[in-house]
Amino acid sequence: MSSDDDDDETPDLFDEVDAQGRDDGYEPTSPWWLSGTPLEAEHHRLMRRRSVAIPWAASTASQLQPAERARLAATWMRRAQAEYLAVSTFSVLAIDLVAAMAPADVLSLCLRAGIDEVRHAEMAIRMAELYSGEQQLPPPGMSYLPDEPKRPKLHQALANTMLVSCVSETYATTVLSATRDLTTDPTAHAVLTAIYSDEVMHARLGWSYLRHAIEIGGDGVVEAAAAMLPRALRGVANVVERERPVGEVTEAVRTHGLMTPAEERVIFSTCVREVLVPGFTALGIPVGTSVEDYGDTWAHAA
Ligand SMILES: [Fe+2]
Ligand SMILES: [Fe+2]
């Protein structure tokens, strides 16, 4: 629906606004998931601001066997669910950051991350549709972040930033990068690239805020971060250890952006050892037994 279709009930609110940064090449990702109201125009403006063109028509999904398509559809629907939940994750984190009087750039990037996650959900939903042929949405839901009202707001904000951004999003960048390297299907490759480039910024947001919080907050902050670390690592490990959708990860499936659970374990273990632990150590945050907990034994347990 365009803004020309405004009905009489909402004249002013839905009047045409200046569509800044108009991009005529922009194409709605999953139009059937939109409201069907003139809000759509503003949504498209937000979504295309940092969009890359996805070659949807170039998908090679039709060359796959039915079982391979089913496996990929189920995986992309799980990804859609995770991306959808991440919208609420950044919304809740933004509340913590506002309560702690975080710097303006941290606030704006956190809120923008939530918008990025809407776009990721749209893309994952469309990918699932490409493989299944069905228009399907993930189940409704929201993620909950640890909330301890009695602790200082700064500690709450930095602990949840660590969980969401430093650990989860940093792991997301490493697994997306490795998955993308296997992917030859042009559509899957473009979608993974678009998501990856946003997740890099989502991770950077956390590391920057952590450094800022340590500078202004001192020792109590370091202790709060250290206490959150095992919990944050466990949270991601739970996702990595989770059962996968039914279906074999064939060579053809791999070229559409899917790795085996065993490969993902190795990536998480490597991420802990080579990225997260050195990063936290550089900021003076004790890492305890993180490297041992997710070392070779854990990595090869599946
Ligand atoms: Fe995402
Ligand atoms: Fe993200």
Side-chain angles (χ1 to χ4, degrees):
M1 186 196 282
S2 82
S3 48
D4 298 329
D5 300 322
D6 285 350
D7 59 38
D8 294 329
E9 291 161 13
T10 52
D12 297 319
L13 209 55
F14 286 146
D15 270 352
E16 177 93 59
V17 292
D18 179 24
Q20 301 165 53
R22 188 180 291 280
D23 169 5
D24 292 336
Y26 171 82
E27 178 201 346
T29 303
S30 297
W32 55 272
W33 185 29
L34 299 172
S35 65
T37 73
L39 279 185
E40 288 184 12
E42 190 64 12
H43 172 75
H44 296 323
R45 190 177 73 78
L46 281 169
M47 291 299 129
R48 76 183 162 219
R49 184 168 286 160
R50 298 194 315 120
S51 73
V52 285
I54 305 293
W56 296 108
S59 172
T60 57
S62 63
Q63 297 168 19
L64 297 169
Q65 298 299 317
E68 292 172 327
R69 293 178 65 138
R71 179 69 166 85
L72 284 157
T75 296
W76 280 102
M77 190 40 67
R78 283 231 184 144
R79 288 175 181 169
Q81 184 175 359
E83 300 290 2
Y84 184 71
L85 288 176
V87 180
S88 66
T89 306
F90 280 105
S91 306
V92 176
L93 182 61
I95 294 172
D96 284 337
L97 289 166
V98 169
M101 187 44 83
D105 49 344
V106 175
L107 295 178
S108 66
L109 282 170
C110 181
L111 290 163
R112 194 185 76 187
I115 294 174
D116 292 340
E117 303 299 0
V118 175
R119 187 170 63 240
H120 298 175
E122 286 187 296
M123 288 194 282
I125 285 166
R126 181 147 177 192
M127 287 300 284
E129 185 184 352
L130 267 181
Y131 295 106
S132 72
E134 289 166 18
Q135 294 184 344
Q136 213 190 335
L137 291 174
M142 65 171 284
S143 56
Y144 296 89
L145 296 180
D147 184 14
E148 294 170 38
K150 290 198 180 125
R151 72 201 311 207
K153 300 294 185 200
L154 179 67
H155 294 187
Q156 165 90 8
L158 99 98
N160 282 338
T161 301
M162 218 176 134
L163 172 71
V164 168
S165 179
C166 300
V167 174
S168 290
E169 293 283 349
T170 301
Y171 170 65
T173 63
T174 59
V175 75
L176 277 166
S177 164
T179 306
R180 197 177 60 137
D181 287 346
L182 308 169
T183 304
T184 54
D185 175 76
T187 311
H189 193 274
V191 167
L192 291 170
T193 301
I195 295 177
Y196 168 77
S197 63
D198 289 338
E199 310 298 26
V200 168
M201 188 56 73
H202 300 175
R204 195 177 291 165
L205 158 75
W207 291 100
S208 302
Y209 182 65
L210 197 55
R211 197 185 73 182
H212 168 83
I214 289 170
E215 278 171 10
I216 64 167
D219 286 347
V221 166
V222 169
E223 282 158 25
M228 178 51 95
L229 181 58
R231 202 168 170 184
L233 294 176
R234 186 33 39 213
V236 177
N238 286 343
V239 176
V240 177
E241 291 168 2
R242 202 177 149 198
E243 281 300 306
R244 299 300 196 275
V246 178
E248 196 189 340
V249 181
T250 61
E251 276 310 307
V253 163
R254 290 166 71 76
T255 65
H256 284 252
L258 214 168
M259 278 190 304
T260 64
E263 287 173 302
E264 288 184 18
R265 276 182 174 253
V266 171
I267 289 171
F268 181 62
S269 174
T270 308
C271 176
V272 171
R273 188 178 63 249
E274 294 183 5
V275 184
L276 297 175
V277 160
F280 292 128
T281 303
L283 290 169
I285 296 166
V287 296
T289 58
S290 304
V291 171
E292 296 78 49
D293 293 349
Y294 300 100
D296 281 349
T297 308
W298 183 87
H300 299 290

